[in-house]
Amino acid sequence: MRVGPRLHPGLEAVHDEHHALVAKAASRYAGADLLHRQVRPASLQGPLGVTRQPLLLCLALRVVISPYNTPMQADDKRVGLRSRLREEALVGLFVKLPGFEVIDCAKNAGFDFVVIDREHSALDERTVLDQIAYGRALGLPALVRLPEVDVPVIGRLLDAGAAGVQVSDVTKREQVDTLVAATRFPPEGERGVAPSVRAGHYGRVPVSEYVHAAPDPLLVIQVERALNREELRALLAAPIDVCFIGAVDLSANMGSTGELTPDVRGRITAICD
């Protein structure tokens, strides 16, 4: 039975089509049925008495089906990124500007991932969280660079769906151990379990699947100082995915700011070896 005022005759077919689409979505996601019931009575009268109900139903449908309908589907991008890193050279982009357009540009330019920069930019946390969400919707993995291992911030970024974390100026194994613990669920780590967040698909998947089936975030440590061989070995022995060499900071710490002198090149080669 139809609820609400009668539609203009020319919109009858559109009305029925939208009801059918929402009903189909409801079979895939129980929340759609709730949206369906809430929207149907909320008809608004437009010019000449034509209801705007079909537009409202369309908006409800977009909420249901965008951007991911299959649980853990967005996390497949993270798994693919890690496996690709082991087999090929990938190209990413540092994001230092607010807004969605820069994420759009990175996706359309063909970048494999983005690193949203919270070290050398004025981006606030709300902006970063929104950019992470937009990247997920586009299928573009987004890591976040932080100036230090900040456990509460890391937890919020991962809850929002960040593909990984990059930490600058790592010099001690203890920093890496804290980073690993902050990004792993118990018993391997100390990350808090909150299945109601975006990374947990807002409770759409069982807690056990969220905790055990979700891939671990990518971990990137940034080396910016002339560490000795033992210090480097300790860092690289940790379960990290990438060691990023901050060449400019490294050159500054070696007394030749911005210049890749033979000593700086030699140090970079030693790190890579």
Side-chain angles (χ1 to χ4, degrees):
M1 178 180 296
R2 182 165 295 156
V3 179
R6 183 172 181 78
L7 293 172
H8 186 278
L11 295 178
E12 287 285 353
V14 177
H15 179 279
D16 293 337
E17 179 183 359
H18 279 291
H19 273 275
L21 288 172
V22 174
K24 182 178 180 180
S27 67
R28 300 172 61 187
Y29 176 42
D33 184 54
L34 176 60
L35 287 172
H36 191 193
R37 290 197 301 271
Q38 289 178 335
V39 169
R40 287 180 65 185
S43 301
L44 300 176
Q45 292 295 323
L48 303 178
V50 177
T51 182
R52 297 175 187 170
Q53 190 176 40
L55 296 179
L56 293 174
L57 288 173
C58 182
L59 290 174
L61 182 62
R62 288 178 61 84
V63 170
V64 171
I65 67 174
S66 177
Y68 295 102
N69 279 299
T70 305
M72 316 310 286
Q73 180 181 350
D75 297 322
D76 293 341
K77 297 292 183 181
R78 192 188 308 165
V79 176
L81 184 62
R82 176 176 279 116
S83 62
R84 290 178 62 195
L85 278 171
R86 296 170 179 163
E87 301 175 358
E88 59 182 305
L90 303 182
V91 181
L93 176 73
F94 275 110
V95 173
K96 301 172 182 286
L97 301 175
F100 298 136
E101 292 82 0
V102 65
I103 307 297
D104 247 337
C105 289
K107 174 66 175 178
N108 282 280
F111 285 99
D112 299 296
F113 62 94
V114 294
V115 180
I116 303 173
D117 193 357
R118 286 212 68 194
E119 180 187 18
H120 295 296
S121 79
L123 296 176
D124 59 27
E125 187 169 325
R126 177 70 265 171
T127 298
V128 171
L129 298 181
D130 289 342
Q131 289 181 325
I132 291 170
Y134 193 61
R136 281 169 62 92
L138 295 178
L140 182 65
L143 290 78
V144 181
R145 179 164 75 169
L146 299 174
E148 60 185 353
V149 182
D150 189 324
V151 174
V153 170
I154 289 172
R156 292 193 293 271
L157 294 174
L158 298 181
D159 284 349
V165 178
Q166 177 170 332
V167 179
S168 298
D169 196 22
V170 175
T171 60
K172 299 181 182 301
R173 175 60 186 262
E174 290 77 9
Q175 292 172 277
V176 185
D177 291 339
T178 302
L179 173 63
V180 172
T183 59
R184 303 289 193 268
F185 291 118
E188 289 79 14
E190 301 175 355
R191 179 182 172 187
V193 180
S196 60
V197 297
R198 181 184 299 130
H201 301 272
Y202 302 105
R204 290 184 58 195
V205 298
V207 177
S208 59
E209 182 178 349
Y210 170 50
V211 171
H212 299 296
D216 292 328
L218 273 76
L219 300 183
V220 182
I221 62 170
Q222 195 161 315
V223 175
E224 305 175 357
R225 301 176 184 271
L227 305 177
N228 62 45
R229 186 175 298 273
E230 289 71 26
E231 291 171 325
L232 281 173
R233 284 178 175 173
L235 295 181
L236 299 180
I240 61 171
D241 297 288
V242 176
C243 176
F244 180 98
I245 301 173
V248 176
D249 283 306
L250 179 61
S251 68
N253 284 306
M254 295 181 66
S256 57
T257 303
E259 298 181 11
L260 294 180
T261 63
D263 287 343
V264 175
R265 292 180 182 275
R267 179 63 65 174
I268 292 175
T269 300
I271 295 174
C272 294
D273 292 341

